[in-house]
Every structure is written in C-alpha cells, then in structure tokens.
C-alpha cells in the first residue's frame, strides 16, 4: 500500500483545480459589460449599461451564495476583433463568468461564438441580428431585449396598414443593418408591398446627402432607416434639412434618439420598442430610479441589461453554482417576471420571448416634460412579435 501513495498524489495534483473548488469559480461571480463607450452607439449602451448592471447587482444584494459579485467593463469600439480579444482575456485570465450587452451585432455574434467555445454565458441586449438565434445560435447564448425581426414586424406592419406600401432602405453596411433591412423587406413583401431599392452606408456616417437623394428619386412612399444610434439621428436630421417628403420609418429607435432629435423633428414617427419609462407604472419606477443615478432616462438596451443581469444572478443562486450549463438550465426553466417582461421565456434557440410595443412620438404640444416623448399605440404579444421557433435556422433545434 505504501508504494501506491506517490501515484495517488501525482494523480490528485494532475486533476484540474476546479475539481476541488467551491460552488463558484474563483470564489465569486464576475460579470463583464462589453459595449460601445465612445462611438455611434454610446448613448444607447455605454456607461448607461454599466450603471444598469450595477443597479441589478445592488438590488440583488451585492452577493450570491454568500460570495461577492464583481463587475468589469470595456469599450469594444464597434470592432469585432477588439471585442473578441477583450472577452478572451476576461474568460482566460480574469475569471469572467458572463458577458452582457454586446452592443453591435458584429461584435455580438463573434463574442457569442467565443462564449460557446469557452462554455461561458453571453447575453446580447444591444445587438439586433436574428443570426444570434439563427445560424449562429449557441447553447450558452441569450438574445434578450429585441431583434431585427420583432422591430421590423411591428413597424412595417403598422405602416403597411396605412397604405404605405412602397419602401426604399438606407442600410448600415454590416450584419445588423443587413438583418434589419432583410427582415423588414420580407414583411413588406408578405403584406403586399414592394421594396424599390436599398442603399448601404458605412457605420458612423456623417453625410447622408447622396443616400437621401437616391431615396427621394426612388419615389417610394417610405424611407426605411435600417441603422441606429447616431447614424439614425444624423439621417433623420439631414432628411428634414433636405426637405424629404416621404415617410421616414425608424426600424430601430431608442428613447435617447428621440431626445437627440427633439419632438419637432421626430413628432409622429412610429416605431417598435421593448421598453420606455412611459409605457406603464413599473417601467416608470425603474426609469426614474435609473435617472437618479445616470442623469438620463434608460433605453431599452439599459433596461434589458438590468433585467438579464438580475435573471442571471437569480439563476446562479437557484443552481447553487456558476457552472454555465447549470445556470443556463435555470435561466431557461424560470420565466422572467419584472418591469421589463411578464412571463418572458428563453427558448432553446436563445431567444427571450416577451411583449413588444408600438409607439408614436408625441407632438411638442402633447409633451408634459423633458422626457415625455412617446405614447403607446399597441402591445404586440411576444409570440406574434418574434420569429416562430418552427422557422428557426438554429442547429440546436430538433426538427
């Protein structure tokens, strides 16, 4: 028996350290917010996403399973290589368990792939591409706040009902813009409309004049803006200055965009959203609490970061571990019930299904305050708003 001891000791030392670890890797839970801090989408996510995550951690109690919760953040600069590099560093050397926000679809898709490789949970809130729950789906990936299908479905359907049945698109030239334009085009065609053309513009464009001339020359009834953030704001401002007569459809609009435009420029615009502080009393409570910390009202991205971070922490607590497979199981089993979603469900393709809202921008005369910008036109049930699971291209779905 004595001769066996060195062999037993050698085997024990060879086993991974996690075999002997407690329920939490690194004896804590570590969350990363990877977002646009300085670019075209900074007002959509940026420091507001960090504040939202901090609020969720504080409201949870600051600890999980009697261990600390740590938050780190970084600017991906809207570049997939920078986003993946930072996420890899977090996963490999800093013990980050979950990455949230991932504002920008190119970054979101790339980091979700890395998360699948590393078996780490990634939650996309600011990214919109339906590829995240389609061909690029991951067993560790969640698409939480909105996607291009739901946004296009609500807005395009509403405008088509008004007889606005010919469209021309200005599209941000990357994965998100292509997905948003593609989803909107399919909905327009399916409801009897026509797409008369599309012009692509680089991310962070400052001069939209040539694109707007092409849109005007198309004679389309609707100019659909398949872009977001500062690109959307600049396109709308320049369209107004240019005297564009066609209806402008914002296919991804945030409260911060309406604020940047002002009600004079944005009044009457209809769009689809997952959240606004004005939609119901629960959303208002969160909005005012966020405002007190940030100095501005939250976007649907900020609201999604808060809700999904809290849902993640509750799942870690319920699972008794931060093991990604165990936590994902709890996140899928447990419905989301908070100010952001009622009976929200995370499907097997990673899509969190919840109600969406069709809204209209108020006239200046209707507004009662600085952030009183929107009125609710319709609530779109989640099962209607989001692409049916039966039509998913996700390879995880059993056909």
């Amino acid at each position: 028996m004595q001769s066996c001891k060195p062999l037993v000791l050698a085997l024990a030392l060879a086993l991974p350290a996690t075999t002997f670890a407690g329920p939490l890797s690194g004896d804590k839970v570590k969350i990363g917010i990877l977002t646009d801090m300085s670019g075209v989408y900074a007002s959509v996510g940026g420091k507001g996403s960090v504040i939202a995550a901090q609020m969720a951690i504080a409201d949870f109690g600051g600890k999980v399973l009697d261990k600390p919760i740590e938050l780190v953040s970084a600017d991906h600069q809207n570049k997939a290589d920078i986003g993946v590099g930072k996420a890899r560093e977090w996963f490999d050397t800093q013990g980050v368990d979950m990455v949230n926000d991932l504002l920008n679809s190119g970054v979101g898709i790339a980091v979700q792939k890395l998360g699948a490789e590393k078996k780490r949970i990634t939650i996309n809130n600011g990214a919109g591409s339906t590829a995240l729950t389609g061909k690029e789906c991951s067993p560790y990936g969640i698409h939480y706040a909105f996607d291009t299908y739901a946004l296009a479905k609500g807005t395009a359907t509403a405008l088509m009902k008004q007889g606005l049945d010919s469209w021309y698109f200005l599209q941000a030239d990357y994965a998100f813009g292509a997905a948003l334009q593609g989803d909107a085009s399919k909905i327009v065609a399916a409801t009897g409309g026509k797409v008369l053309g599309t012009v692509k513009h680089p991310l962070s464009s400052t001069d939209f004049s040539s694109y707007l001339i092409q849109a005007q020359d198309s004679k389309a009834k609707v100019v659909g803006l398949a872009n977001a953030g500062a690109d959307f704001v600049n396109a709308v401002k320049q369209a107004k200055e240019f005297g564009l007569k066609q209806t402008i459809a914002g296919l991804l609009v945030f409260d911060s965009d309406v604020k940047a435009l002002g009600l004079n420029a944005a009044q009457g615009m209809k769009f689809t959203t997952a959240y606004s502080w004005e939609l119901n009393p629960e959303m208002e409570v969160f909005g005012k609490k966020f405002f007190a910390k940030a100095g501005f009202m939250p976007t649907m991205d900020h609201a999604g970061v808060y809700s999904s971070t809290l849902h993640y922490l509750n799942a870690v607590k319920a699972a008794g571990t931060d093991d990604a497979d165990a936590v994902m199981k709890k996140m899928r089993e447990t419905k989301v019930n908070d100010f952001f979603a009622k009976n929200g469900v995370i499907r097997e393709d990673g899509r969190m299904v919840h109600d969406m809202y069709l809204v209209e921008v108020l006239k200046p005369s209707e507004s009662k305050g600085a952030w009183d910008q929107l009125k609710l036109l319709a609530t779109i049930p989640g099962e209607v708003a989001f692409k049916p699971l039966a039509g998913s291209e996700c390879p995880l779905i059993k056909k």
Side-chain angles (χ1 to χ4, degrees):
M1 294 296 291
Q2 286 287 98
S3 62
C4 294
K5 284 184 179 180
L7 178 60
V8 172
L9 179 60
L11 289 171
L13 291 173
L15 289 172
T18 51
T19 303
F20 304 102
L24 299 180
S25 57
D27 222 25
K28 61 186 172 185
V29 166
K30 196 167 184 178
I31 295 169
I33 299 297
L34 192 55
T35 187
D36 178 4
M37 295 286 192
S38 57
V40 66
Y41 302 137
S43 63
V44 172
K47 68 177 184 179
S49 294
V50 177
I51 292 169
Q54 289 170 338
M55 289 173 62
I57 291 167
D59 289 348
F60 187 78
K63 291 185 176 182
V64 59
L65 303 176
D66 293 322
K67 299 297 181 180
I69 303 165
E70 185 177 337
L71 182 70
V72 294
S73 62
D75 183 359
H76 57 50
Q77 301 175 43
N78 289 304
K79 296 177 180 178
D81 58 338
I82 292 176
V84 168
K86 177 52 67 174
R88 188 180 299 278
E89 176 190 336
W90 281 352
F91 292 153
D92 289 350
T93 68
Q94 295 191 28
V96 168
D97 299 291
M98 182 270 279
V99 174
N100 204 338
D101 200 13
L102 294 168
L103 180 61
N104 178 305
S105 291
V107 176
I109 291 169
V111 173
Q112 182 167 282
K113 284 182 179 179
L114 179 66
E117 175 191 327
K118 300 291 185 178
K119 294 188 176 182
R120 302 293 174 90
I121 293 172
T122 56
I123 304 178
N124 274 276
N125 270 290
S129 175
T130 49
L132 287 159
T133 54
K135 292 180 179 179
E136 305 293 347
C137 71
S138 160
Y140 304 101
I142 298 170
H143 203 181
Y144 202 86
F146 61 88
D147 64 27
T148 55
Y149 181 92
L151 296 169
K153 181 75 178 292
T155 305
T157 300
L159 293 180
M160 285 291 294
K161 286 180 180 177
Q162 296 178 14
L164 299 171
D165 56 2
S166 59
W167 290 60
Y168 189 91
F169 291 96
L170 269 64
Q171 174 199 318
D173 192 12
Y174 77 108
F176 154 73
L180 189 52
Q181 188 274 345
D183 285 329
S185 294
K186 289 174 185 176
I187 291 162
V188 168
T191 49
K194 294 182 179 179
V195 176
L196 303 184
T198 300
V199 61
K200 299 176 182 180
H201 68 80
L203 186 66
S204 304
S205 294
T206 56
D207 184 0
F208 286 86
S209 57
S210 64
Y211 312 124
L212 292 169
I213 289 171
Q214 292 179 63
Q216 180 177 262
D217 290 347
S218 75
K219 308 298 183 184
K221 295 177 183 177
V222 180
V223 177
L225 299 182
N227 54 17
D231 281 344
F232 168 78
V233 171
N234 287 332
V236 174
K237 284 182 176 178
Q238 290 175 38
K240 295 292 184 181
E241 293 166 1
F242 191 71
L244 197 75
K245 301 300 182 184
Q246 292 127 305
T247 295
I248 298 172
L251 295 171
L252 175 51
V253 185
F254 296 90
D255 287 34
S256 55
D257 300 330
V258 178
K259 183 66 173 175
L261 285 168
L263 297 184
N264 279 322
Q267 62 181 304
M269 185 181 293
K270 297 180 178 67
F271 62 91
T272 304
T273 187
Y275 167 89
S276 174
W277 76 276
E278 302 169 273
L279 298 184
N280 63 49
E282 283 186 271
M283 291 187 179
E284 182 177 356
V285 168
F286 173 76
K288 289 182 175 178
K289 185 176 179 180
F290 181 95
F291 184 89
K293 294 183 178 296
F296 51 87
M297 283 295 181
T299 65
M300 61 174 161
D301 182 32
H302 301 146
V305 168
Y306 175 96
S307 176
S308 57
T309 299
L310 204 56
H311 190 60
Y312 169 79
L313 291 172
N314 279 314
V316 172
K317 180 180 178 181
T321 176
D322 60 0
D323 173 77
D325 290 297
V327 174
M328 282 297 297
K329 185 173 185 293
K330 289 297 181 182
M331 292 183 80
R332 293 180 193 279
E333 289 175 352
T334 309
K335 291 184 177 181
V336 180
N337 274 301
D338 58 12
F339 73 89
F340 185 81
K342 298 301 178 191
N343 294 315
V345 176
I346 298 173
R347 299 189 312 204
E348 53 193 302
D349 62 347
R351 174 69 259 163
M352 201 279 271
V353 178
H354 55 87
D355 293 348
M356 298 288 287
Y357 306 93
L358 181 68
V359 298
E360 182 176 336
V361 179
L362 298 174
K363 298 174 183 176
S365 60
E366 296 173 319
S367 177
K368 298 177 182 178
W371 285 89
D372 184 22
Q373 304 181 136
L374 307 175
K375 61 182 176 183
L376 178 64
L377 298 180
T379 298
I380 308 168
E383 61 270 23
V384 174
F386 292 97
K387 184 181 290 187
L389 193 59
S392 175
E393 296 177 286
C394 173
L396 300 175
I397 306 302
K398 295 177 182 178
K399 300 293 185 179

